[in-house]
Amino acid sequence: MTSSNADASELGLNGARCPECRAPTIRQYAPFCSKRCADLDLHRWLSGAYAIPAGEAEDASSPDDEGGSGAR
């Protein structure tokens, strides 16, 4: 078995690319290419960089605010 065969068996499926650096994925660190890229992504999750911004929903108004059929 040559080293190129060993390298090919460790590569990810379907030619997937690392979301951090676009290098070919390695099965051991999937979906990343290395521990470094996996750690960078983990840091972003833990620091809140991937948080979805919160905002007021447009449908959050109460019936009293609309001036509709409120009691008088």
Side-chain angles (χ1 to χ4, degrees):
M1 178 183 228
T2 64
S3 63
S4 62
N5 288 342
D7 293 338
S9 67
E10 292 180 10
L11 293 177
L13 302 174
N14 298 327
R17 297 288 181 167
C18 176
E20 292 293 322
C21 67
R22 308 304 300 161
T25 299
I26 296 176
R27 191 170 303 217
Q28 179 182 358
Y29 299 109
F32 304 99
C33 68
S34 66
K35 181 166 175 30
R36 178 186 175 276
C37 285
D39 287 346
L40 287 172
D41 185 70
L42 177 62
H43 173 69
R44 287 191 185 108
W45 276 106
L46 295 177
S47 67
Y50 289 142
I52 298 172
E56 289 189 35
E58 293 177 17
D59 298 329
S61 61
S62 65
D64 293 337
D65 292 343
E66 295 175 7
S69 60
R72 290 184 180 191

